[in-house]
Amino acid sequence: MKISEKLGLKKSQLELDFYDYEIELDTYMFFDPYYISRKEDAFLAECNEYIETFFNRFLYLLQYDEERAFELFNHLGEVNEICLGMSRGKPAGKGVGRVNARTIFEAIKKSCAINDGVAEHIEDLRLFVEGVDKDKVSDMVANIIKYPLIKYTKEQCELLGIKLTNAEVGYYWNKTATRWDRGHHETLVIDGKRYLLFPKNLVSDAKYYNAQEFLNQYVLEFLKEKNLKEDTHLVRKTYDKNGSLKNAKVCKKDIVADYESRGEFLTKNWLSRFTKENPDVLSKFKNEIIQKISYGELDDISDEDIEEIIDNLIEALKSIPPGSEHATRYHRLISGILELLFYPYIAHPKIEKEINDGRKRIDIVFNNIAESGFLHYLGTTYNVPCSLIMVECKNYSKDIANPELDQMSGRFSANRGKFGIICCRYLDDPQKFIQCEMDTVKDGRGWIIHITDEEIIELLQQRKIDNTISDFLLKKYDEINNS
């Protein structure tokens, strides 16, 4: 059973910002700290701060106070509120855990990478410390970023109208005080069990940042080129019938065998020593590997499923009558539709964010996480502040006009952003409203675009084929700019 089913949401993964994991079986996805550190996303950046402050503190204590370093490390057992990892059957705490915390700690302490300063970040433990792979690192990260996940869970539950419970949540990392704290927080409790939600773009397959990939695709490739250049005994040469050199190559298996013949086995400690002497190879690995890592994609959703989901959303939209009594229903439906249409350009929606000391509220606020497309270039090329995308949902039975534009533009600022979207049922005179949007731009108050039900339905139908939301937004921008 998926967590969304347990919550009774009747929403697909396409409509949800959080990763819809199985609650009785571990999901084969992971928290990859290297992926987290490289993404342009405010929430992931916050998570990275937690990870960095923990690991820096741990390395410091490991050098000066080993007992306290172990106390710090001993809190990194599996977080069963999350259900990620490689366990089979019900999640049962097979992460760092109390049983093997000392074993892993000793391996870290003895690692050449730690002693030589090669392992500078927590993900480097996967490359250089025996017994540590993606499941262990993912469990460590889950504990370290537990507090941001508590906050995220609360925001998602508020968005979706899910009741929270004030409960003891166990230990969580305090990045400011650099210590473990514990206490009560509003959190998600179902049938007496705590659950945490996390964004679908926070998890990845974590397939590539590992010792085997580093060794096979980078270290051995480097050594192949080095042996060829130096024309060592490992170079296999072939000649044509005239005695001229036809081909020269070095095989990876010959390199491995050569090291082993000298009693050097290509272990993680060997990788550490190699990296200390050849740091550029690790830099190349890190710079290139990020292109291969994929986050929580939706590959398991078939085209037929997507079409059915979209058809259901269209029918649901058509079934909601205009009017204030149906505003919440419309609001929550639009939130899911925007998630489907805009992901992976925007993410992490929050409902009715308070601003100006609570005097003004915004229906939904999304983080702009676009790395390409219109919402990326809006800030980088068009110089429109847009770290946050503000959305107002107007389930009016009447036409919207200047007051709605003034209401939204009054909430803009350089910090929050100056780009917003008004979702409404219809417009009597779209061209007149576009002119009003242009007036808002001319007054220096920001950019606002509208999306009607008719346009949402057109976008949903097109989404069955491909994602054209970036082109749609650019067209809207040009309409306002040229009006």
Side-chain angles (χ1 to χ4, degrees), residues 229-244:
K229 185 177 180 180
E230 296 175 358
D231 194 21
T232 69
H233 66 285
L234 296 178
V235 179
R236 296 187 181 190
K237 299 178 180 179
T238 56
Y239 300 87
D240 60 23
K241 59 183 179 181
N242 296 320
S244 300

Side-chain angles (χ1 to χ4, degrees), residues 11-17 200 298 301 305-314 333-347 349 366 456 459-469:
K11 285 180 176 284
S12 69
Q13 177 68 89
L14 289 167
E15 303 160 70
L16 298 169
D17 186 74
K200 60 193 175 195
L298 313 174
I301 301 178
D305 289 338
I306 291 175
E307 288 191 13
E308 182 180 356
I309 290 165
I310 288 173
D311 288 340
N312 290 338
L313 287 172
I314 291 172
L333 179 66
I334 289 296
S335 175
I337 289 174
L338 294 181
E339 183 72 38
L340 184 152
L341 292 174
F342 279 80
Y343 187 76
Y345 302 115
I346 63 177
F366 287 86
I456 285 175
L459 286 167
L460 286 170
Q461 294 288 12
Q462 182 61 37
R463 178 64 177 79
K464 295 178 181 180
I465 304 169
D466 55 17
N467 192 342
T468 61
I469 192 65

Side-chain angles (χ1 to χ4, degrees), residues 442-460:
K442 288 179 179 178
D443 292 342
R445 289 181 288 157
W447 285 81
I448 300 171
I449 67 167
H450 68 274
I451 307 179
T452 63
D453 278 12
E454 181 181 358
E455 290 171 317
I456 285 175
I457 291 170
E458 288 177 1
L459 286 167
L460 286 170

Side-chain angles (χ1 to χ4, degrees), residues 114-147:
I114 299 296
N115 296 327
D116 294 341
V118 172
E120 297 179 335
H121 305 282
I122 197 168
E123 62 267 21
D124 296 336
L125 300 182
R126 288 187 63 185
L127 303 182
F128 304 122
V129 178
E130 298 295 342
V132 177
D133 205 347
K134 59 186 175 184
D135 56 333
K136 297 293 190 296
V137 171
S138 181
D139 289 343
M140 294 177 193
V141 170
N143 280 277
I144 296 166
I145 66 172
K146 189 173 181 179
Y147 186 68

Side-chain angles (χ1 to χ4, degrees), residues 408-456:
M408 173 168 273
S409 65
R411 298 168 182 179
F412 288 163
S413 74
N415 291 331
R416 286 190 297 273
K418 291 191 173 185
F419 181 79
I421 298 169
I422 294 179
C423 295
C424 59
R425 308 311 300 264
Y426 65 92
L427 286 174
D428 287 334
D429 189 344
Q431 285 304 123
K432 180 180 177 181
F433 195 76
I434 290 172
Q435 185 58 56
C436 294
E437 292 170 331
M438 184 67 247
D439 292 340
T440 303
V441 175
K442 288 179 179 178
D443 292 342
R445 289 181 288 157
W447 285 81
I448 300 171
I449 67 167
H450 68 274
I451 307 179
T452 63
D453 278 12
E454 181 181 358
E455 290 171 317
I456 285 175

